[in-house]
């Protein structure tokens, strides 16, 4: 089987420089074998609690609750914020569909908010404008705002938080792609993405910076919300009472086997982040003179460049992708915005042209943490050859 990582729907690939592959080394093997040998393979076990504890420490929160996927974490976050049938949730338009599907699971309505060009994340000015307009017109405000940190770049949480608290709308974060991303200046200096609002969600899918094969995490500083997250992810079972379940819950717990893998990954996360930063710096320098737009680096942020992506200046994305494919290089287009996806085509949309443009021009380049200098040089040469 190919070790490459595919998004659902991607065809298999035989690229000689893959887009992004996970690192599975000695530590992973040792911990997974330890979990197997212990007999605790399912969702109770020492690796789950250890992974949760170490993850909470790493991002700087009181509680982390492991789940079976990032999508599950977002679904539970919506339940924690009381989002139910007929409610409305504002969400980034330019993101992976896993951000928005859980809103639909809850029977709630998605309102899609376009990206800002400076971070490629939810544009706070569209949010402010819409909240002001609704307030003036006497229309209700949404039940929640979901801010996504795409591609490892922090969203403008200072502005988003200010607007939402001014209007009394709860915010939560989809930090599935931004584990390790932080702010370096201002009121959020030192804080990790996913820890700024009441609830944050992370993913450990195979293509994320740290993987458990499949998994996710809910983080919060609120003791009651953490307790409730644990309850909802374990079928809402009342402990120590024979099969008593006080509401509809989910089978969303992470397994001990997966947590063993996750713990090994977490111990190497700083190295993974350093590798991503090194790769991004090298690409940035190599492409500075080309007719492309480099990935965002907003002042005061420490993005991770989880998936290094640039924009072709006008057209030419497909030609560039074809050219790289022919050279055996695993490049990929960015996401089609959610307002163009069949499940959300009828959702309300604020703005929309920035996401369309990012999709039309964006290309992600190989950036596995194990990418060798030689392979990166091959990618750089192939990109240069295209523009020559
Ligand atoms: C990966 C991802 C998710 C979903 O996480 P899974 O673990 O794959 O369920 C949600 N939102 C974003 C932005 C993602 O990239």
């Amino acid at each position: 089987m190919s070790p490459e990582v595919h998004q659902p729907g991607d065809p298999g690939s035989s690229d000689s420089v893959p887009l992004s592959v996970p690192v599975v080394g000695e530590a992973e093997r040792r911990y997974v074998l330890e979990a197997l040998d212990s007999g605790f393979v399912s969702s109770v076990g020492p690796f789950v609690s250890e992974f949760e504890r170490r993850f909470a420490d790493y991002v700087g929160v009181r509680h982390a609750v492991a789940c079976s996927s990032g999508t599950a974490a977002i679904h539970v976050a919506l339940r924690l914020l009381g989002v139910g049938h007929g409610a409305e949730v504002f969400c980034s338009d330019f993101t992976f569909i896993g951000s928005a599907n859980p809103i639909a699971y809850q029977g709630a309505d998605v309102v899609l908010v376009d990206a800002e060009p400076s971070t490629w994340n939810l544009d706070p000015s569209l949010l402010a404008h819409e909240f002001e307009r609704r307030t003036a017109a006497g229309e209700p405000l949404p039940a929640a705002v979901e801010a996504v940190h795409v591609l490892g770049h922090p969203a403008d949480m200072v502005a988003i938080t200010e607007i939402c608290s001014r209007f009394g709308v709860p915010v939560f974060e989809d930090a599935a792609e931004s584990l390790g991303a932080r702010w370096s200046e201002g009121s959020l200096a030192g804080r990790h993405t996913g820890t700024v609002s009441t609830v944050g969600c992370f993913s450990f899918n195979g293509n994320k910076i740290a993987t458990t094969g499949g998994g996710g995490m809910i983080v919060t500083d609120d003791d009651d919300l953490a307790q409730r997250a644990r309850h909802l992810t374990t079928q809402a079972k009342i402990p120590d009472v024979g099969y008593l379940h006080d509401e509809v819950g989910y089978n969303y717990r992470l397994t001990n086997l997966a947590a063993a893998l996750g713990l090994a990954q977490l111990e190497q996360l700083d190295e993974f982040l350093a590798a991503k930063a090194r790769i991004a710096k090298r690409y940035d320098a190599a492409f500075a003179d080309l007719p492309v737009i480099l990935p965002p680096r907003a002042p005061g942020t420490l993005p991770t460049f989880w998936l290094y992506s640039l924009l072709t200046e006008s057209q030419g994305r497909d030609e560039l992708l074809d050219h790289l494919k022919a050279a055996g290089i695993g490049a990929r287009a960015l996401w089609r915005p959610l307002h163009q996806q069949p499940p959300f085509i009828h959702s309300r949309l604020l703005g929309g042209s920035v996401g369309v443009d990012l999709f039309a021009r964006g290309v992600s380049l190989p950036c596995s943490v194990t990418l060798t200098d030689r392979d990166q040089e091959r990618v750089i040469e192939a990109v240069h050859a295209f523009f020559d």
Side-chain angles (χ1 to χ4, degrees), residues 69-72 74 95-96 98-99 148 174 176-177 203-205 207-208 215 306 335:
S69 71
T71 308
I74 295 167
T95 180
F96 177 60
S99 300
V148 188
D174 174 354
E177 298 176 2
S203 163
F204 310 115
N205 195 353
N207 62 357
K208 300 302 191 319
W306 160 65
W335 313 281

Side-chain angles (χ1 to χ4, degrees), residues 231 234-247:
H231 187 60
T234 49
Q235 305 278 30
K237 183 178 182 297
I238 308 281
D240 306 324
V241 181
Y243 288 105
L244 182 63
H245 307 262
D246 62 351
E247 60 183 316

Side-chain angles (χ1 to χ4, degrees), residues 287-293 311-315 361 387:
F287 302 146
D289 297 330
L290 293 182
V292 296
I293 293 173
L311 306 181
T312 55
E313 229 165 41
S314 49
Q315 288 304 308
R361 295 160 56 198
F387 287 104

Side-chain angles (χ1 to χ4, degrees), residues 121-122 172 193 197 209 226 341:
N121 288 309
L122 190 143
F172 74 102
T193 55
S197 42
I209 196 159
Q341 306 285 1

